[in-house]
Amino acid sequence: MSQDEDDKSVSNRVVTLEQFIVDTFTRVGNDGIERPVDQPDQIGGGGTYAIIGGRMFVPPSKLGMIIDYTPDTLPTNMRNALKEFGEEMWVFRERTDGHPTARAVNKYDEQARHFQYLTKPLLLTPNSLLGTTIGNPLPSTIHFISYPAPRAEIILSEVFQLKQRRAWNPIIIWEPEEENLVVLERIARNIHVIGPNHNEILRLFPMTIPPSSSESELREIYSQACNRIALLRPKIGVVIRCGHLGCCYSSTPPLDMKPEVKWIPAYWNPQRTGWKQGKVVDPTGAGNAFMGGLAAALNMNLSLDEAVIWGSVAASFTIEQDGLPVLTKNADKELWNGEDPLKRVKIMKKTREDI
């Protein structure tokens, strides 16, 4: 009997198919010239932030990510910093294709962020997990970003193959970056949660938003987009991450009902005590951390209503500094930036009840 035939078990684990990236930073000035930023290289990659977002709520044994690297291009301090979150989360795997550890530049232009690879990335798929500690047994939930597109249909085809061979049927969390509406319409029913951000929505549904649009007008635009995606019938629902506006979301409704679009605010907003004390430092990775927190909640069989709160809390810790939040321990309790994430979950639940 082959290993594929024999191993049909599934681990209770959230795994990202995104890669580790060393991030560097530049900023485009008012004169249009791009200049380096006085900021050291840092741990990056949407998958890394997603897994750390999940790590705020679950132990490392419930998470997983492959770190493809070469020894001379992955700084020792970064490797050690990753291990501090839990060694069993990571599969360190030396690259053999002649390329260094993936590296990218994040270019900031006023409020916009542009991303560009500086080295060749390794695009992971479900088959990349096979033979690793996070792929044998296969995970119960997978997360991926379709950048660069197209990736979604390739990943789904391997999920279907592994479903035939190993009876694998994971929860699939998808950030449809750079994918187009035709692909979205074709595969939505095979995805559990479709989670674009507000910029990706504008690529999926080309529309002109006047610079003077009010927050209420923006909310209406995003709500309409959320409704349209929910009608494509993903297995669980759709979540649109809208930056400082929070997020709108909808569970997929029964066939005879219309979607119900709901909103929750971002944890850090002008009404929150501390907002004006410089709590918001850098939004890099916040949206990915949101999806990781959401994935961890759904993997624990929590509702979408609860999952978006976990995601919002994960994002709130991510924006409080450059790079990843700091994990410490106080007695038997883990603290992130000195605070218990579940405390913020309770605060957000109370806020929702008061609305």
Side-chain angles (χ1 to χ4, degrees):
M1 183 176 291
S2 70
Q3 182 180 1
D4 279 351
E5 293 171 335
D6 184 56
D7 182 10
K8 294 184 178 180
S9 61
V10 173
S11 67
N12 184 20
R13 189 191 291 262
V14 177
V15 167
T16 184
L17 296 177
E18 297 311 305
Q19 64 175 334
F20 174 83
I21 300 173
V22 176
D23 272 346
T24 188
F25 302 87
T26 63
R27 186 172 296 279
V28 178
N30 294 331
D31 55 6
I33 298 175
E34 180 183 348
R35 297 178 177 87
V37 175
D38 185 18
Q39 181 176 336
D41 291 351
Q42 66 189 36
I43 292 170
T48 313
Y49 277 97
I51 288 301
I52 296 302
R55 179 65 182 87
M56 296 178 197
F57 300 97
V58 300
S61 60
K62 303 294 185 183
L63 301 163
M65 179 177 177
I66 293 173
I67 310 289
D68 286 307
Y69 76 106
T70 57
D72 58 338
T73 58
L74 176 61
T76 301
N77 66 321
M78 287 189 181
R79 180 164 181 161
N80 291 338
L82 291 170
K83 289 181 177 180
E84 288 295 318
F85 295 107
E87 293 197 36
E88 60 266 54
M89 294 166 56
W90 317 108
V91 175
F92 288 94
R93 187 171 66 178
E94 287 195 37
R95 293 185 70 156
T96 59
D97 60 358
H99 292 280
T101 306
R103 186 179 176 85
V105 60
N106 296 266
K107 303 177 185 180
Y108 291 96
D109 181 359
E110 296 181 351
Q111 296 300 314
R113 171 180 171 266
H114 310 279
F115 176 88
Q116 181 182 348
Y117 281 111
L118 299 176
T119 58
K120 183 178 178 63
L122 270 176
L123 301 182
L124 304 178
T125 66
N127 284 342
S128 304
L129 305 177
L130 302 181
T132 72
T133 54
I134 61 174
N136 186 15
L138 287 161
S140 48
T141 296
I142 58 171
H143 158 268
F144 74 94
I145 307 167
S146 49
Y147 180 89
R151 285 188 71 203
E153 289 182 292
I154 294 171
I155 287 172
L156 281 180
S157 69
E158 292 190 8
V159 171
F160 295 148
Q161 291 168 13
L162 288 166
K163 184 175 183 178
Q164 299 270 334
R165 289 157 49 191
R166 298 194 180 186
W168 187 43
N169 191 28
I171 297 172
I172 302 174
I173 310 295
W174 178 35
E175 298 183 45
E177 186 174 347
E178 287 209 341
E179 292 285 7
N180 59 51
L181 185 58
V182 173
V183 171
L184 183 69
E185 292 172 338
R186 190 159 56 230
I187 70 173
R189 288 173 180 261
N190 298 309
I191 304 293
H192 290 76
V193 175
I194 301 172
N197 64 28
H198 54 296
N199 293 319
E200 290 153 11
I201 281 296
L202 298 183
R203 285 195 288 268
L204 288 167
F205 305 109
M207 59 187 85
T208 301
I209 297 181
S212 59
S213 295
S214 66
E215 289 193 356
S216 61
E217 290 171 329
L218 290 174
R219 285 175 180 270
E220 179 60 27
I221 290 170
Y222 300 140
S223 293
Q224 290 178 8
C226 186
N227 183 81
R228 289 180 64 178
I229 298 176
L231 289 173
L232 297 177
R233 312 205 64 76
K235 293 183 179 181
I236 293 177
V238 54
V239 176
I240 300 178
R241 298 159 287 147
C242 302
H244 71 283
L245 295 179
C247 84
C248 63
Y249 67 100
S250 174
S251 297
T252 298
L255 285 172
D256 58 344
M257 296 181 65
K258 295 181 179 180
E260 179 187 2
V261 177
K262 303 176 183 179
W263 278 85
I264 62 166
Y267 181 83
W268 286 119
N269 63 72
Q271 283 69 52
R272 179 82 59 202
T273 301
W275 168 263
K276 294 182 180 180
Q277 281 70 50
K279 277 292 187 178
V280 178
V281 175
D282 182 6
T284 301
N288 308 121
F290 181 109
M291 297 303 287
L294 177 141
L298 294 177
N299 192 60
M300 294 181 64
N301 297 316
L302 299 181
S303 68
L304 188 59
D305 289 311
E306 180 101 357
V308 294
I309 290 178
W310 281 32
S312 299
V313 168
S316 74
F317 286 103
T318 305
I319 66 176
E320 292 179 355
Q321 66 286 305
D322 294 323
L324 298 173
V326 176
L327 170 62
T328 56
K329 292 187 178 181
N330 182 8
D332 294 331
K333 180 172 290 187
E334 291 187 341
L335 303 178
W336 294 79
N337 294 350
E339 191 171 336
D340 181 357
L342 292 179
K343 177 182 177 182
R344 293 190 182 182
V345 168
K346 291 179 180 178
I347 291 172
M348 290 204 70
K349 285 182 177 179
K350 182 66 168 58
T351 300
R352 169 177 278 168
E353 292 170 358
D354 292 341
I355 292 176

